[in-house]
């Protein structure tokens, strides 16, 4: 399964989701490829230091470089996951023909609400965000095995 995570700038939430997914999939012996992109991202920005620290015990995302969402990423994805309902809405407007594979992280992870953008916040907020992402990804991967 190829999972594409989408957020705004591709420096916080979606790289954390990508790293967490890779780690959990490897741990569970699942064939899952994860990548991430941003709706309004530029090429080459590093993840925030707080995002790297928030998931350092799970995955190393320090080498990640931001990238904008491309049609190639969309075409290769089996599942396109936005961090918020707004991300999902933008994705549905841009790619209505891919509606069947677009969800929010909460929908996929059997939860509700949005993954709040931690950008500009302190480490506590990033850690809470990482925990929320971890729980949704874990539940999403479990549901994918069913």
């Amino acid at each position: 399964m190829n999972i594409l995570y989408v957020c705004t700038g591709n420096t916080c939430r979606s790289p954390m989701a990508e790293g967490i997914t890779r780690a959990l999939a490897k741990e569970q012996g699942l064939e899952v490829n994860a990548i991430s992109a941003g709706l309004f991202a530029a090429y080459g920005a590093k993840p925030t230091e707080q995002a790297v620290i928030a998931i350092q015990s799970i995955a190393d995302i320090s080498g990640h470089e931001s990238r904008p969402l491309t049609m190639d990423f969309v075409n290769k994805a089996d599942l396109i996951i936005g961090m918020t309902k707004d991300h999902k809405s933008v994705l549905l407007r841009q790619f209505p023909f891919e509606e069947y594979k677009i969800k929010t992280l909460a929908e996929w992870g059997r939860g509700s609400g949005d993954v709040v953008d931690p950008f500009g916040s302190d480490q506590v907020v990033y850690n809470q965000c990482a925990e929320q992402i971890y729980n949704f990804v874990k539940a999403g991967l479990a549901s994918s095995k069913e």
Side-chain angles (χ1 to χ4, degrees):
M1 174 173 29
N2 294 312
I3 301 174
L4 169 61
Y5 290 105
V6 179
C7 68
T8 306
N10 194 223
T11 60
C12 304
R13 294 170 289 180
S14 59
M16 287 195 287
E18 176 184 349
I20 290 167
T21 299
R22 288 181 178 178
L24 288 176
K26 182 177 179 182
E27 182 181 289
Q28 297 173 22
L30 301 174
E31 287 196 33
V32 175
N33 297 309
I35 62 167
S36 62
L39 293 173
F40 303 104
Y43 283 103
K46 291 291 184 191
T48 63
E49 181 181 346
Q50 296 92 334
V52 172
I53 291 168
I55 68 163
Q56 68 186 356
S57 66
I58 302 164
D60 179 7
I61 60 168
S62 61
H64 174 81
E65 292 187 0
S66 66
R67 55 192 160 236
L69 182 63
T70 66
M71 194 67 224
D72 187 50
F73 291 154
V74 170
N75 288 336
K76 290 178 180 174
D78 298 308
L79 187 57
I80 303 168
I81 300 176
M83 296 293 122
T84 67
K85 292 179 199 93
D86 286 343
H87 292 140
K88 180 182 176 182
S89 293
V90 171
L91 289 165
L92 288 170
R93 280 194 306 275
Q94 289 183 335
F95 310 105
F97 48 89
E98 302 288 10
E99 178 180 10
Y100 67 97
K101 61 183 179 180
I102 297 172
K103 300 179 182 303
T104 67
L105 184 57
E107 289 169 343
W108 184 56
R110 297 181 173 175
S112 62
D114 288 338
V115 177
V116 178
D117 190 355
F119 189 79
S121 299
D122 64 18
Q123 192 62 54
V124 171
V125 174
Y126 272 85
N127 294 348
Q128 291 167 343
C129 179
E131 182 178 359
Q132 183 185 29
I133 291 169
Y134 179 90
N135 290 331
F136 284 148
V137 168
K138 187 174 181 180
L141 289 174
S143 70
S144 297
K145 289 191 286 187
E146 295 172 356

